């Protein structure tokens, strides 16, 4: 009878040990996967093996940006990309009322303060219409913003939706695909 009790406790101890080792291996695998995702495969291998990462892929993009919006620096042997003339045009601060729902379910009004800028490619057809139509763009943005509810602006999805809708309106007013992006400096709801 004592032997049976000993076998049972030894068997459960072995199973527990196997479980602990299995969980530890999973944690190590998850840690390694996180390192690979965070650093990229080349840098992760360099960190794990003690070598130095190949700097060429990481330095290509900043060098191209420093050369003037995609133009390759002279004399480096790379073919020059088509030159883009990116222009960032800021808008005056926009303040509008939006609706909100209180915890009791009552509708109330809140202020939305927005500072934004429009990024457009000056080389594209129709880009010359953006500056003269800037007041129309601002009016269209305000019209859209007044229709929003506080819940429409919550989270990163709300910000992405806001930017895409403002960009869609900018392209419609400019009658061109020159507007490339909406940059939001401040978005405050009070």
């Amino acid at each position: 009878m004592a032997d049976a009790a000993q076998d049972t406790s030894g068997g459960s101890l072995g199973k527990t040990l196997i479980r602990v080792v299995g969980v530890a291996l999973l944690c190590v695998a998850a840690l390694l996967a996180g390192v690979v995702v965070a650093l990229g495969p080349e840098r992760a291998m360099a960190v794990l093996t003690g070598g130095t990462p190949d700097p060429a892929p990481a330095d290509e993009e900043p060098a191209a940006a420093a050369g003037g919006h995609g133009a390759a620096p002279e004399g480096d042997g790379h073919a020059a990309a088509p030159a883009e003339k990116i222009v960032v045009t800021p808008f005056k601060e926009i303040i509008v009322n939006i609706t909100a729902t209180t915890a009791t379910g009552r509708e109330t009004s809140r202020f939305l303060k927005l500072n934004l800028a429009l990024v457009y490619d000056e080389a594209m057809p129709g880009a010359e219409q953006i500056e003269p139509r800037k007041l129309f763009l601002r009016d269209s943005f305000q019209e859209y913003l007044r229709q929003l509810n506080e819940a429409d602006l919550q989270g990163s999805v709300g910000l992405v939706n806001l930017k895409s809708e403002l960009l869609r309106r900018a392209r419609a007013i400019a009658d061109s695909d020159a507007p490339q992006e909406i940059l939001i400096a401040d978005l405050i709801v009070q």
Side-chain angles (χ1 to χ4, degrees):
M1 180 78 83
D3 290 337
Q6 226 174 17
D7 289 342
T8 309
S9 66
S12 70
L13 180 64
K15 288 181 183 178
T16 303
L17 185 61
I18 290 173
R19 287 181 185 154
V20 169
V21 169
V23 168
L25 287 174
L26 284 175
C27 289
V28 169
L31 177 66
L32 290 174
V35 168
V36 169
V37 168
L39 298 177
E42 293 84 16
R43 287 186 181 166
M45 285 302 294
V47 167
L48 294 174
T49 61
T52 58
D54 181 20
D59 290 341
E60 281 180 9
E61 186 174 307
H69 301 294
E74 292 182 26
D76 70 349
H78 290 85
E84 294 179 340
K85 295 196 99 185
I86 301 298
V87 178
V88 178
T89 181
F91 284 82
K92 290 185 352 185
E93 182 175 85
I94 298 174
I95 299 175
V96 295
N97 286 330
I98 60 172
T99 59
T101 305
T102 63
T104 60
R106 194 187 73 166
E107 277 198 14
T108 185
S109 181
R110 300 235 190 260
F111 287 109
L112 168 67
K113 176 181 164 184
L114 185 66
N115 282 319
L116 61 94
L118 175 65
V119 178
Y120 66 94
D121 185 355
E122 199 174 51
M124 291 188 73
E128 66 279 354
Q129 294 299 317
I130 291 176
E131 288 298 328
R133 294 182 181 178
K134 196 169 175 181
L135 287 174
F136 296 101
L137 288 167
R138 182 179 164 85
D139 181 61
S140 178
F141 293 166
Q142 285 182 339
E143 178 186 339
Y144 169 70
L145 293 169
R146 285 188 178 110
Q147 298 173 20
L148 293 178
N149 191 329
E150 185 180 31
D152 296 333
L153 299 170
Q154 291 180 347
S156 58
V157 172
L159 186 62
V160 168
N161 288 339
L162 174 67
K163 285 177 144 187
S164 66
E165 182 61 30
L166 293 177
L167 182 61
R168 186 187 69 77
R169 288 172 179 269
R171 287 179 174 168
I173 297 292
D175 196 25
S176 167
D177 285 337
Q180 300 293 306
E181 190 174 355
I182 297 288
L183 303 176
I184 296 180
D186 295 316
L187 187 142
I188 300 171
V189 177
Q190 291 183 334

